[in-house]
Amino acid sequence: MLRKKTFTGGVHPPEFKSEGEKKKVETCPAPKTAIIPVSQHIGAPAQPVVERGDTVKIGDVVAKAGGFVSAPVHATISGKVKKIEKRPHPLGQNVLSVIIENDQADEWNPDIQFDEQYEKQSTAEMIQRISAAGLAGMGGATFPTHVKVKPPDNKKIDTVILNGAECEPFLTADHRLMLEEPERVLKGLQLIMRILGAQTGLIGIENNKPDAVRVMKAKVNELGLPYKVTSLPVKYPQGAEKQLIKALKNRKVPAGGLPMDVGCVVQNVGTAAAVYDAIAYKKPLIERIVSVAGPAIKEPKNLLVRIGTPFAEVLECCGGPTEEMGKLIMGGPMMGLAQYTLDAPVIKGTSGLIAMKETQSFRPPETVCISCAHCVDVCPMGLVPKALGQFVKHERYNDAKSYHILDCIECGSCSYVCPAHINLVHLVKFGKLKVIEQQKKAG
Protein backbone atom coordinates (compact mmCIF):
# COMPACT_ATOMS: atom_id res chain seq x y z
CA MET A 1 0.00 0.00 0.00
CA LEU A 2 1.32 3.43 -0.92
CA ARG A 3 2.23 5.64 2.01
CA LYS A 4 0.38 8.96 2.18
CA LYS A 5 3.02 11.68 2.03
CA THR A 6 2.06 13.71 5.07
CA PHE A 7 2.67 14.07 8.80
CA THR A 8 0.66 13.67 11.98
CA GLY A 9 -1.37 16.62 13.25
CA GLY A 10 -1.66 19.98 11.56
CA VAL A 11 -4.58 22.20 10.52
CA HIS A 12 -6.05 23.58 7.33
CA PRO A 13 -6.80 27.28 7.71
CA PRO A 14 -8.46 29.13 4.80
CA GLU A 15 -5.81 29.65 2.11
CA PHE A 16 -6.64 33.14 0.76
CA LYS A 17 -4.17 32.69 -2.11
CA SER A 18 -6.48 32.92 -5.13
CA GLU A 19 -5.76 36.59 -5.87
CA GLY A 20 -2.04 36.75 -5.12
CA GLU A 21 -1.09 33.54 -6.91
CA LYS A 22 -2.12 35.06 -10.24
CA LYS A 23 -0.02 38.21 -9.80
CA LYS A 24 3.34 38.16 -11.58
CA VAL A 25 6.26 39.55 -9.66
CA GLU A 26 6.65 43.31 -10.10
CA THR A 27 9.65 45.39 -9.09
CA CYS A 28 9.06 47.77 -6.19
CA PRO A 29 10.86 51.12 -6.68
CA ALA A 30 14.10 51.39 -4.74
CA PRO A 31 13.65 53.33 -1.49
CA LYS A 32 14.65 56.98 -1.16
CA THR A 33 16.42 55.99 2.03
CA ALA A 34 17.39 52.40 2.82
CA ILE A 35 17.42 51.20 6.42
CA ILE A 36 19.81 48.23 6.62
CA PRO A 37 19.70 46.49 10.06
CA VAL A 38 22.93 44.75 11.08
CA SER A 39 20.85 41.90 12.51
CA GLN A 40 18.75 40.10 9.89
CA HIS A 41 19.70 36.53 10.72
CA ILE A 42 19.96 34.06 13.59
CA GLY A 43 23.31 34.53 15.30
CA ALA A 44 25.66 37.37 16.14
CA PRO A 45 24.80 40.79 14.66
CA ALA A 46 27.01 42.02 11.85
CA GLN A 47 29.53 44.79 12.60
CA PRO A 48 29.43 48.04 10.59
CA VAL A 49 32.45 48.68 8.37
CA VAL A 50 31.29 52.00 6.92
CA GLU A 51 31.07 55.45 8.47
CA ARG A 52 28.78 58.40 8.09
CA GLY A 53 29.55 60.18 4.81
CA ASP A 54 30.93 57.13 3.02
CA THR A 55 29.78 56.54 -0.55
CA VAL A 56 28.55 53.01 -1.34
CA LYS A 57 27.49 51.05 -4.41
CA ILE A 58 24.87 48.31 -4.58
CA GLY A 59 26.39 45.12 -3.19
CA ASP A 60 29.12 46.80 -1.11
CA VAL A 61 29.52 45.30 2.35
CA VAL A 62 28.27 47.76 4.97
CA ALA A 63 28.60 45.39 7.95
CA LYS A 64 30.78 42.27 8.21
CA ALA A 65 29.73 39.00 9.85
CA GLY A 66 30.03 39.08 13.63
CA GLY A 67 31.07 35.42 13.95
CA PHE A 68 30.71 32.04 12.24
CA VAL A 69 26.95 31.94 12.87
CA SER A 70 26.36 35.38 11.42
CA ALA A 71 26.10 37.00 7.99
CA PRO A 72 27.31 40.22 6.41
CA VAL A 73 24.85 42.82 5.15
CA HIS A 74 25.22 44.88 2.01
CA ALA A 75 24.18 48.19 0.50
CA THR A 76 20.97 47.68 -1.46
CA ILE A 77 21.04 51.10 -3.13
CA SER A 78 23.90 53.33 -4.22
CA GLY A 79 24.38 56.56 -2.32
CA LYS A 80 25.81 58.06 0.83
CA VAL A 81 25.78 56.67 4.35
CA LYS A 82 23.69 59.21 6.18
CA LYS A 83 23.67 57.74 9.69
CA ILE A 84 24.42 54.60 11.67
CA GLU A 85 21.89 54.45 14.46
CA LYS A 86 19.18 52.33 16.03
CA ARG A 87 15.93 52.14 14.05
CA PRO A 88 12.69 50.13 14.40
CA HIS A 89 13.12 46.47 13.40
CA PRO A 90 10.39 44.01 12.35
CA LEU A 91 11.21 41.79 15.34
CA GLY A 92 9.94 44.50 17.67
CA GLN A 93 12.94 46.39 18.97
CA ASN A 94 15.26 49.14 17.82
CA VAL A 95 18.33 47.67 16.10
CA LEU A 96 21.55 49.29 14.91
CA SER A 97 21.07 50.08 11.23
CA VAL A 98 23.05 51.62 8.39
CA ILE A 99 21.00 54.42 6.83
CA ILE A 100 21.82 55.07 3.16
CA GLU A 101 20.49 58.02 1.15
CA ASN A 102 19.73 57.03 -2.44
CA ASP A 103 21.72 58.95 -5.11
CA GLN A 104 19.39 57.49 -7.79
CA ALA A 105 22.46 56.35 -9.79
CA ASP A 106 21.72 52.65 -9.13
CA GLU A 107 25.43 51.92 -9.42
CA TRP A 108 26.50 48.32 -8.68
CA ASN A 109 29.73 46.97 -7.26
CA PRO A 110 31.69 46.02 -10.43
CA ASP A 111 32.66 42.62 -8.98
CA ILE A 112 29.03 41.45 -9.23
CA GLN A 113 28.80 39.85 -12.65
CA PHE A 114 28.37 36.44 -14.21
CA ASP A 115 31.30 34.09 -13.72
CA GLU A 116 31.47 31.66 -16.63
CA GLN A 117 33.72 29.39 -14.55
CA TYR A 118 31.38 29.23 -11.55
CA GLU A 119 30.71 25.50 -11.91
CA LYS A 120 34.44 24.83 -11.60
CA GLN A 121 34.60 26.35 -8.14
CA SER A 122 35.67 24.04 -5.34
CA THR A 123 33.21 23.24 -2.56
CA ALA A 124 35.11 25.52 -0.19
CA GLU A 125 35.00 28.38 -2.70
CA MET A 126 31.26 27.93 -3.20
CA ILE A 127 30.63 28.05 0.54
CA GLN A 128 32.81 31.16 0.74
CA ARG A 129 30.70 32.87 -1.95
CA ILE A 130 27.49 31.95 -0.10
CA SER A 131 28.96 33.33 3.12
CA ALA A 132 30.20 36.53 1.46
CA ALA A 133 26.75 37.07 -0.09
CA GLY A 134 25.14 37.13 3.37
CA LEU A 135 22.54 34.47 2.60
CA ALA A 136 20.09 33.52 5.33
CA GLY A 137 17.05 31.23 5.08
CA MET A 138 14.45 33.12 3.06
CA GLY A 139 11.49 31.09 4.30
CA GLY A 140 11.59 33.24 7.43
CA ALA A 141 13.93 31.27 9.69
CA THR A 142 16.96 33.37 8.59
CA PHE A 143 19.55 30.77 9.63
CA PRO A 144 22.84 31.62 7.86
CA THR A 145 22.99 29.45 4.74
CA HIS A 146 26.77 28.93 4.74
CA VAL A 147 26.45 27.23 8.16
CA LYS A 148 23.60 25.00 7.00
CA VAL A 149 25.55 23.69 4.00
CA LYS A 150 28.57 22.88 6.15
CA PRO A 151 27.42 20.21 8.64
CA PRO A 152 29.93 18.51 10.96
CA ASP A 153 32.07 15.81 9.32
CA ASN A 154 30.18 13.06 11.19
CA LYS A 155 26.82 14.14 9.72
CA LYS A 156 26.55 12.61 6.26
CA ILE A 157 23.88 14.26 4.12
CA ASP A 158 22.27 12.08 1.45
CA THR A 159 19.18 14.17 0.67
CA VAL A 160 18.51 17.83 -0.05
CA ILE A 161 14.87 18.91 0.08
CA LEU A 162 13.63 22.12 -1.46
CA ASN A 163 10.66 23.56 0.37
CA GLY A 164 8.08 24.86 -2.08
CA ALA A 165 5.13 24.13 0.20
CA GLU A 166 4.44 27.77 1.20
CA CYS A 167 1.72 26.56 3.55
CA GLU A 168 0.93 29.89 5.26
CA PRO A 169 -2.31 31.58 4.14
CA PHE A 170 -2.00 34.57 1.77
CA LEU A 171 1.69 34.00 0.88
CA THR A 172 2.41 33.39 -2.82
CA ALA A 173 6.01 34.63 -3.25
CA ASP A 174 7.55 31.14 -3.52
CA HIS A 175 4.71 30.04 -5.81
CA ARG A 176 5.46 32.85 -8.25
CA LEU A 177 9.23 32.23 -8.05
CA MET A 178 8.73 28.59 -9.08
CA LEU A 179 6.46 29.62 -11.96
CA GLU A 180 8.63 32.45 -13.25
CA GLU A 181 12.20 31.30 -12.53
CA PRO A 182 12.26 27.51 -12.15
CA GLU A 183 15.70 27.12 -13.74
CA ARG A 184 17.29 29.51 -11.24
CA VAL A 185 15.79 27.46 -8.38
CA LEU A 186 16.98 24.15 -9.83
CA LYS A 187 20.49 25.41 -10.53
CA GLY A 188 20.64 26.47 -6.89
CA LEU A 189 19.58 22.97 -5.84
CA GLN A 190 22.31 21.49 -8.06
CA LEU A 191 24.95 23.63 -6.34
CA ILE A 192 23.68 22.85 -2.82
CA MET A 193 23.73 19.11 -3.57
CA ARG A 194 27.24 19.34 -4.96
CA ILE A 195 28.45 21.18 -1.86
CA LEU A 196 26.89 18.58 0.46
CA GLY A 197 27.72 15.54 -1.67
CA ALA A 198 24.05 14.52 -1.54
CA GLN A 199 22.66 11.92 -3.94
CA THR A 200 18.93 12.66 -3.71
CA GLY A 201 17.19 15.94 -4.55
CA LEU A 202 13.51 16.37 -3.68
CA ILE A 203 11.14 19.29 -4.18
CA GLY A 204 7.95 19.38 -2.09
CA ILE A 205 5.06 21.54 -3.29
CA GLU A 206 1.52 21.58 -1.85
CA ASN A 207 -1.13 20.38 -4.28
CA ASN A 208 -2.92 23.75 -4.23
CA LYS A 209 -0.18 24.88 -6.67
CA PRO A 210 -0.68 22.41 -9.56
CA ASP A 211 0.78 24.89 -12.06
CA ALA A 212 4.00 25.15 -10.04
CA VAL A 213 4.22 21.34 -9.83
CA ARG A 214 3.83 21.12 -13.62
CA VAL A 215 6.38 23.85 -14.33
CA MET A 216 8.99 22.42 -11.98
CA LYS A 217 8.53 18.89 -13.31
CA ALA A 218 8.81 20.13 -16.90
CA LYS A 219 11.99 22.06 -16.14
CA VAL A 220 13.50 19.09 -14.30
CA ASN A 221 12.85 16.95 -17.39
CA GLU A 222 14.09 19.64 -19.79
CA LEU A 223 17.38 19.98 -17.92
CA GLY A 224 17.73 16.19 -17.54
CA LEU A 225 18.03 16.40 -13.76
CA PRO A 226 17.44 13.37 -11.49
CA TYR A 227 15.26 15.30 -9.02
CA LYS A 228 11.77 14.34 -7.91
CA VAL A 229 8.98 16.89 -7.63
CA THR A 230 6.24 15.75 -5.24
CA SER A 231 2.73 17.15 -4.88
CA LEU A 232 1.88 17.15 -1.17
CA PRO A 233 -1.50 17.32 0.60
CA VAL A 234 -2.42 20.82 1.71
CA LYS A 235 -1.89 20.92 5.44
CA TYR A 236 -0.29 23.47 7.73
CA PRO A 237 2.63 23.44 8.74
CA GLN A 238 3.68 21.35 5.73
CA GLY A 239 6.61 23.71 5.13
CA ALA A 240 8.22 23.10 8.52
CA GLU A 241 11.50 21.23 8.12
CA LYS A 242 10.71 18.21 10.28
CA GLN A 243 7.23 17.78 8.81
CA LEU A 244 8.56 18.05 5.25
CA ILE A 245 11.21 15.40 5.96
CA LYS A 246 8.58 13.09 7.45
CA ALA A 247 6.28 13.58 4.46
CA LEU A 248 8.91 13.11 1.75
CA LYS A 249 11.43 10.70 3.32
CA ASN A 250 9.40 9.09 6.13
CA ARG A 251 12.25 9.91 8.48
CA LYS A 252 11.62 11.32 11.95
CA VAL A 253 14.01 13.92 13.31
CA PRO A 254 14.65 12.91 16.94
CA ALA A 255 13.58 15.14 19.83
CA GLY A 256 16.12 17.93 20.22
CA GLY A 257 17.69 16.95 16.91
CA LEU A 258 18.21 18.62 13.54
CA PRO A 259 17.48 17.50 9.97
CA MET A 260 21.15 16.60 9.51
CA ASP A 261 20.67 13.93 12.21
CA VAL A 262 18.59 11.99 9.65
CA GLY A 263 20.79 12.80 6.66
CA CYS A 264 18.72 15.71 5.32
CA VAL A 265 19.13 19.41 4.62
CA VAL A 266 16.04 21.50 3.83
CA GLN A 267 16.25 24.80 1.96
CA ASN A 268 13.54 27.19 0.85
CA VAL A 269 13.16 27.56 -2.93
CA GLY A 270 14.01 31.27 -2.60
CA THR A 271 17.21 30.43 -0.78
CA ALA A 272 18.15 27.99 -3.54
CA ALA A 273 17.73 30.72 -6.16
CA ALA A 274 19.84 33.07 -4.02
CA VAL A 275 22.55 30.38 -3.75
CA TYR A 276 22.75 30.29 -7.54
CA ASP A 277 23.03 34.10 -7.68
CA ALA A 278 25.74 34.09 -5.01
CA ILE A 279 27.91 31.45 -6.68
CA ALA A 280 27.32 32.29 -10.36
CA TYR A 281 27.24 36.09 -10.05
CA LYS A 282 28.80 36.79 -6.61
CA LYS A 283 25.54 38.62 -5.99
CA PRO A 284 24.72 39.40 -2.35
CA LEU A 285 21.22 39.10 -0.96
CA ILE A 286 20.06 42.66 -1.62
CA GLU A 287 16.45 42.01 -2.64
CA ARG A 288 13.71 39.41 -2.30
CA ILE A 289 10.13 38.66 -3.37
CA VAL A 290 7.53 39.82 -0.85
CA SER A 291 3.82 38.91 -0.97
CA VAL A 292 1.74 41.96 -0.10
CA ALA A 293 -1.79 40.77 0.62
CA GLY A 294 -4.69 40.75 3.04
CA PRO A 295 -8.20 42.15 3.12
CA ALA A 296 -6.96 45.65 4.04
CA ILE A 297 -4.56 46.20 1.12
CA LYS A 298 -5.91 47.99 -1.94
CA GLU A 299 -4.09 45.94 -4.61
CA PRO A 300 -2.40 42.69 -3.54
CA LYS A 301 0.90 42.06 -5.35
CA ASN A 302 4.05 40.01 -5.35
CA LEU A 303 6.91 42.50 -5.32
CA LEU A 304 10.66 42.25 -5.77
CA VAL A 305 11.76 44.55 -2.95
CA ARG A 306 15.19 45.89 -1.99
CA ILE A 307 16.22 44.93 1.55
CA GLY A 308 15.91 48.03 3.71
CA THR A 309 12.79 49.43 2.04
CA PRO A 310 10.40 50.78 4.72
CA PHE A 311 7.10 48.90 4.96
CA ALA A 312 5.20 52.14 4.25
CA GLU A 313 6.83 52.42 0.79
CA VAL A 314 6.10 48.77 0.00
CA LEU A 315 2.43 49.21 0.89
CA GLU A 316 2.31 52.41 -1.15
CA CYS A 317 3.46 50.42 -4.20
CA CYS A 318 0.23 48.43 -3.77
CA GLY A 319 -1.99 51.49 -3.56
CA GLY A 320 -1.59 51.65 0.21
CA PRO A 321 -3.66 50.09 2.97
CA THR A 322 -7.38 50.76 3.24
CA GLU A 323 -8.79 52.81 6.08
CA GLU A 324 -9.94 49.54 7.62
CA MET A 325 -6.40 48.27 8.35
CA GLY A 326 -6.06 47.34 11.99
CA LYS A 327 -2.94 45.20 11.90
CA LEU A 328 0.06 44.62 9.64
CA ILE A 329 1.76 41.22 9.91
CA MET A 330 5.26 40.44 8.62
CA GLY A 331 5.19 36.84 7.34
CA GLY A 332 2.09 34.68 7.30
CA PRO A 333 -0.84 35.07 9.70
CA MET A 334 0.00 31.79 11.53
CA MET A 335 3.65 32.42 12.44
CA GLY A 336 4.14 36.06 11.43
CA LEU A 337 4.76 39.04 13.67
CA ALA A 338 2.36 41.98 14.12
CA GLN A 339 4.13 45.28 13.43
CA TYR A 340 3.92 48.39 15.59
CA THR A 341 5.23 50.81 12.96
CA LEU A 342 5.35 51.11 9.17
CA ASP A 343 8.85 52.61 9.51
CA ALA A 344 10.40 49.15 9.97
CA PRO A 345 12.20 47.85 6.83
CA VAL A 346 12.00 44.72 4.72
CA ILE A 347 14.72 42.30 5.89
CA LYS A 348 16.08 39.03 4.49
CA GLY A 349 13.31 37.01 6.18
CA THR A 350 10.36 39.14 5.03
CA SER A 351 8.29 36.71 2.97
CA GLY A 352 5.10 38.74 3.17
CA LEU A 353 3.26 41.75 4.52
CA ILE A 354 -0.35 40.95 5.39
CA ALA A 355 -2.77 43.82 6.09
CA MET A 356 -5.73 42.74 8.23
CA LYS A 357 -8.88 44.73 8.97
CA GLU A 358 -9.53 46.26 12.38
CA THR A 359 -12.40 43.81 12.86
CA GLN A 360 -9.96 40.90 12.33
CA SER A 361 -7.27 42.28 14.61
CA PHE A 362 -8.46 41.32 18.03
CA ARG A 363 -8.39 38.07 19.94
CA PRO A 364 -11.56 36.96 21.75
CA PRO A 365 -11.25 36.93 25.56
CA GLU A 366 -9.62 33.82 27.00
CA THR A 367 -11.95 31.45 28.83
CA VAL A 368 -11.39 28.27 30.81
CA CYS A 369 -9.75 25.22 29.23
CA ILE A 370 -12.38 22.51 28.75
CA SER A 371 -9.80 19.73 28.19
CA CYS A 372 -11.10 19.04 24.70
CA ALA A 373 -7.57 18.01 23.57
CA HIS A 374 -7.94 19.67 20.17
CA CYS A 375 -4.50 21.23 20.73
CA VAL A 376 -3.02 17.76 21.26
CA ASP A 377 -4.70 16.40 18.13
CA VAL A 378 -3.23 19.09 15.86
CA CYS A 379 0.24 19.46 17.36
CA PRO A 380 2.59 18.34 14.55
CA MET A 381 5.33 17.60 17.10
CA GLY A 382 3.23 15.27 19.24
CA LEU A 383 3.36 17.58 22.26
CA VAL A 384 0.69 18.40 24.84
CA PRO A 385 0.24 22.17 24.40
CA LYS A 386 -2.44 22.40 27.12
CA ALA A 387 -0.04 21.02 29.73
CA LEU A 388 2.82 23.19 28.52
CA GLY A 389 0.64 26.29 28.83
CA GLN A 390 -0.35 25.37 32.38
CA PHE A 391 3.25 24.71 33.38
CA VAL A 392 4.34 28.11 32.07
CA LYS A 393 1.43 29.93 33.74
CA HIS A 394 2.50 28.43 37.06
CA GLU A 395 6.24 28.96 36.41
CA ARG A 396 6.91 25.20 36.47
CA TYR A 397 9.63 25.44 33.84
CA ASN A 398 11.36 22.17 34.77
CA ASP A 399 8.08 20.35 34.16
CA ALA A 400 7.68 22.17 30.85
CA LYS A 401 11.18 21.06 29.87
CA SER A 402 10.40 17.45 30.75
CA TYR A 403 7.36 17.71 28.44
CA HIS A 404 9.73 18.74 25.60
CA ILE A 405 8.74 22.40 25.38
CA LEU A 406 11.95 23.10 23.44
CA ASP A 407 10.74 20.84 20.62
CA CYS A 408 7.80 23.18 19.90
CA ILE A 409 8.18 24.71 16.41
CA GLU A 410 5.81 27.59 17.31
CA CYS A 411 3.54 26.93 14.32
CA GLY A 412 0.47 28.20 16.20
CA SER A 413 -1.80 25.27 15.29
CA CYS A 414 -2.74 24.82 18.97
CA SER A 415 -3.79 28.44 19.40
CA TYR A 416 -5.68 28.31 16.10
CA VAL A 417 -7.98 25.48 17.21
CA CYS A 418 -8.35 26.32 20.92
CA PRO A 419 -12.08 26.94 21.59
CA ALA A 420 -11.16 28.72 24.84
CA HIS A 421 -8.96 31.18 22.88
CA ILE A 422 -5.95 30.45 25.10
CA ASN A 423 -2.86 31.88 23.45
CA LEU A 424 -0.89 28.68 23.86
CA VAL A 425 1.87 29.53 21.40
CA HIS A 426 2.57 32.78 23.28
CA LEU A 427 2.85 30.86 26.55
CA VAL A 428 5.13 28.27 24.98
CA LYS A 429 7.40 30.91 23.43
CA PHE A 430 7.76 32.56 26.85
CA GLY A 431 8.34 29.20 28.52
CA LYS A 432 11.08 28.30 26.01
CA LEU A 433 12.90 31.53 26.82
CA LYS A 434 12.74 30.75 30.55
CA VAL A 435 13.97 27.18 30.07
CA ILE A 436 16.89 28.39 27.94
CA GLU A 437 17.72 31.01 30.59
CA GLN A 438 17.79 28.27 33.24
CA GLN A 439 20.04 26.12 31.07
CA LYS A 440 22.49 28.98 30.57
CA LYS A 441 22.61 29.71 34.31
CA ALA A 442 23.26 26.03 35.00
CA GLY A 443 26.15 26.13 32.51
Side-chain angles (χ1 to χ4, degrees), residues 188-214:
L189 175 57
Q190 274 186 298
L191 293 167
I192 294 168
M193 290 186 62
R194 181 178 157 191
I195 291 170
L196 290 163
Q199 298 81 44
T200 303
L202 304 175
I203 303 157
I205 304 171
E206 284 194 335
N207 61 20
N208 59 357
K209 307 172 190 62
D211 50 355
V213 173
R214 284 195 300 273

Side-chain angles (χ1 to χ4, degrees), residues 120-398:
K120 297 181 179 177
Q121 297 288 307
S122 68
T123 296
E125 289 169 330
M126 289 185 181
I127 294 175
Q128 173 54 33
R129 288 192 180 186
I130 292 172
S131 176
L135 302 195
M138 295 174 72
T142 67
F143 192 80
T145 306
H146 68 278
V147 180
K148 206 167 179 179
V149 297
K150 194 177 181 183
D153 292 340
N154 63 341
K155 300 293 182 183
K156 177 64 179 172
I157 304 300
D158 59 48
T159 302
V160 175
I161 297 174
L162 283 196
N163 177 8
E166 200 167 45
C167 56
E168 280 264 13
F170 291 106
L171 300 185
T172 53
D174 291 346
H175 187 172
R176 291 309 312 181
L177 174 66
M178 290 186 284
L179 287 179
E180 297 179 34
E181 298 189 82
E183 186 166 337
R184 190 167 148 241
V185 174
L186 292 173
K187 286 187 172 180
L189 175 57
Q190 274 186 298
L191 293 167
I192 294 168
M193 290 186 62
R194 181 178 157 191
I195 291 170
L196 290 163
Q199 298 81 44
T200 303
L202 304 175
I203 303 157
I205 304 171
E206 284 194 335
N207 61 20
N208 59 357
K209 307 172 190 62
D211 50 355
V213 173
R214 284 195 300 273
V215 167
M216 294 297 286
K217 283 185 174 178
K219 187 57 71 173
V220 164
N221 291 333
E222 178 187 324
L223 297 177
L225 298 171
Y227 308 148
K228 184 176 182 181
V229 180
T230 300
S231 179
L232 298 165
V234 177
K235 187 164 69 167
Y236 178 86
Q238 183 66 83
E241 285 188 333
K242 295 175 182 177
Q243 283 62 43
L244 202 51
I245 292 169
K246 176 62 178 171
L248 289 174
K249 292 292 290 184
N250 198 25
R251 294 178 184 173
K252 185 176 180 180
V253 179
L258 295 170
M260 64 181 173
D261 294 323
V262 294
C264 296
V265 162
V266 180
Q267 294 283 3
N268 173 266
V269 290
T271 309
V275 164
Y276 171 68
D277 293 344
I279 294 175
Y281 291 87
K282 300 181 187 177
K283 181 183 176 183
L285 185 53
I286 59 108
E287 59 192 0
R288 65 156 300 143
I289 303 175
V290 178
S291 296
V292 186
I297 193 73
K298 289 182 180 173
E299 186 182 0
K301 292 182 177 180
N302 293 297
L303 294 173
L304 184 63
V305 183
R306 302 279 180 97
I307 305 296
T309 304
F311 289 163
E313 292 185 35
V314 179
L315 298 185
E316 193 59 35
C317 191
C318 297
T322 69
E323 293 179 355
E324 297 175 290
M325 187 173 85
K327 181 193 288 185
L328 182 72
I329 300 170
M330 186 189 81
M334 295 296 286
M335 290 188 73
L337 297 172
Q339 299 297 305
Y340 72 97
T341 173
L342 299 184
D343 294 333
V346 167
I347 59 175
K348 296 174 183 177
T350 306
S351 55
L353 293 175
I354 312 300
M356 306 300 288
K357 292 182 179 180
E358 178 73 35
T359 53
Q360 300 166 315
S361 303
F362 71 95
R363 188 174 182 83
E366 179 178 321
T367 58
V368 178
C369 174
I370 57 173
S371 298
C372 65
H374 286 346
C375 60
V376 180
D377 292 338
V378 302
C379 179
M381 294 302 294
L383 304 178
V384 186
K386 170 202 167 186
L388 293 174
Q390 288 296 318
F391 289 146
V392 174
K393 277 186 176 180
H394 296 286
E395 301 182 1
R396 293 168 55 186
Y397 303 120
N398 286 333

Side-chain angles (χ1 to χ4, degrees), residues 28-101:
C28 182
K32 302 177 184 69
T33 301
I35 303 163
I36 316 288
V38 299
S39 185
Q40 302 185 46
H41 49 266
I42 288 177
Q47 300 169 349
V49 295
V50 293
E51 297 180 349
R52 180 180 177 182
D54 285 353
T55 299
V56 294
K57 298 175 182 175
I58 299 170
D60 284 352
V61 175
V62 296
K64 64 180 182 181
F68 177 63
V69 185
S70 182
V73 293
H74 302 77
T76 60
I77 56 174
S78 61
K80 185 169 288 188
V81 177
K82 193 176 175 183
K83 295 178 181 175
I84 301 174
E85 62 182 15
K86 290 188 175 183
R87 289 290 185 95
H89 189 280
L91 298 188
Q93 55 192 340
N94 288 341
V95 168
L96 190 66
S97 304
V98 178
I99 316 301
I100 304 172
E101 195 170 51

